[in-house]
DNA sequence: ATCCATTGGTTCAGAATTCAACTTCTTTAG
DNA sequence: CTAAAGAAGTTGAATTCTGAACCAATGGAT
């Protein structure tokens, strides 16, 4: 058995898979952003609307929302301020924990969500889902789910 | 045959695949960024170093570099200015086209690249490649390559 | 009761990003 | 040859993002 001397570089197959993932994630975010622009929303706006829409009473604690959308508290705080100014969301105090705040969907926010969601789904289909095919979908999930798991736990520690 | 009335929402399988892709791409970028921090580089810095390193004469036209790294000319211009100030890169005039500029790797840039690359590769392995397995790699590439293709052509048009 | 370490959230300053305007040079068409 | 259109890059202002410092409230320990 030889002693390992150098770096374990990526093989060609690994390279191209890696680049494909990289390229897709960037190009896709860009495309989705473009498709949301006519509605005056960013991807981040939209994701927050989704999270709140799917939550009990259309509200979420700031911390939980930050965790769910994988962004820092700081970034979320700014983001919510902007969305508050846009009338999509409001902050509300939390009674059980006087430090805490809820981000709450406004009627306007909910209406916006109902209007935009179909377009966004269509966009996700057109540029991603429908290009994969049923087998591609399963393959993708099977491959990525463990990676996501690894990274999520790593995040808590980090 | 029924008339299609509503939105073609995502199925559960589609949802989870979509979220997995989303989460992995965000968490992964974050993790890689963290792993590069000790070397004083960002992901964007690194990617530019890679592109220049692999190019003839360690140089690339600004436009080509912008295209290769999927960013706007403006963003690249700022980016290169920063890297120039950090001594990793320099601008050089192009003789065949007097409008044009090359971004050129400096010795320092090349040295940095040689030093950092092994760590970065290890990072990509640890947090992505090695979690996929050979079959996962192929599956991933097979699934994503057509998507990347679709998005790239869409980009030129859009 | 009283520390004190944690958690929840904001704020500020500095860095990065976007978007549109602009300059310069090149190419094409007449 | 010249005018107009297009391509290569930069710049500057406005926006967003990051990271650290901060304040207030909570939850244990003792």
């Amino acid at each position: 058995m030889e002693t390992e001397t150098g770096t374990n570089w990526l093989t060609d197959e690994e390279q191209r898979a890696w680049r494909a993932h990289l390229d897709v994630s960037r190009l896709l975010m860009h495309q989705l952003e473009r498709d949301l622009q006519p509605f005056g929303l960013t991807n981040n706006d939209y994701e927050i609307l989704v999270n709140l829409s799917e939550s009990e009473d259309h509200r979420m604690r700031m911390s939980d929302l930050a965790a769910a959308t994988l962004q820092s508290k700081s970034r979320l705080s700014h983001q919510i301020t902007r969305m508050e100014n846009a009338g999509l969301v409001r902050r509300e105090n939390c009674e059980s924990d006087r430090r805490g705040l809820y981000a709450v969907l406004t009627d306007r926010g909910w209406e916006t969500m109902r209007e935009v969601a179909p377009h966004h789904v269509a966009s996700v289909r057109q540029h991603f889902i429908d290009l994969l095919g049923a087998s591609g979908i399963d393959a993708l999930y099977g491959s990525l789910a463990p990676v996501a798991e690894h990274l999520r736990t790593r995040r808590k520690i980090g």
Side-chain angles (χ1 to χ4, degrees), chain A:
Chain A
M1 182 169 177
E2 299 185 43
T3 46
E4 183 60 42
T5 161
T7 296
N8 193 5
W9 301 104
L10 299 189
T11 67
D12 287 355
E13 289 75 22
E14 289 167 344
Q15 275 275 10
R16 68 183 196 180
W18 169 232
R19 300 236 41 101
H21 175 77
L22 235 48
D23 289 356
V24 166
S25 75
R26 271 187 293 199
L27 289 165
L28 193 46
M29 283 310 107
H30 237 279
Q31 182 64 52
L32 295 182
E33 193 94 43
R34 286 176 58 111
D35 290 350
L36 279 176
Q37 257 172 25
F39 303 99
L41 296 179
T42 65
N43 281 332
N44 208 0
D45 291 336
Y46 183 81
E47 193 173 9
I48 287 178
L49 293 183
V50 171
N51 274 276
L52 294 180
S53 296
E54 292 174 349
S55 293
E56 191 74 23
D57 280 333
H58 285 184
R59 76 186 48 216
M60 264 181 136
R61 287 289 295 271
M62 293 295 278
S63 288
D64 298 338
L65 190 49
T69 57
L70 300 175
Q71 50 193 328
S72 68
K73 289 158 184 266
S74 172
R75 181 177 171 186
L76 179 66
S77 186
H78 288 301
Q79 172 70 28
I80 292 296
T81 300
R82 270 172 260 143
M83 293 181 74
E84 207 168 18
N85 293 336
L88 298 170
V89 144
R90 68 173 179 279
R91 281 180 234 245
E92 233 175 73
N93 288 38
C94 175
E95 293 157 20
S96 58
D97 185 340
R98 239 171 312 182
R99 296 167 297 183
L101 287 177
Y102 286 105
V104 188
L105 210 54
T106 61
D107 291 350
R108 185 149 152 44
W110 174 243
E111 255 324 299
T112 300
M113 184 59 199
R114 305 257 308 162
E115 181 199 351
V116 174
H119 298 278
H120 181 72
V121 172
S123 179
V124 172
R125 279 208 171 284
Q126 180 187 358
H127 304 305
F128 189 68
I129 294 291
D130 289 352
L131 299 170
L132 293 173
S135 68
I137 305 246
D138 292 345
L140 201 71
Y141 179 74
S143 303
L144 294 185
V147 181
E149 201 40 49
H150 163 89
L151 290 168
R152 248 189 286 273
T153 60
R154 200 119 214 315
R155 180 181 173 76
K156 314 241 185 213
I157 307 162

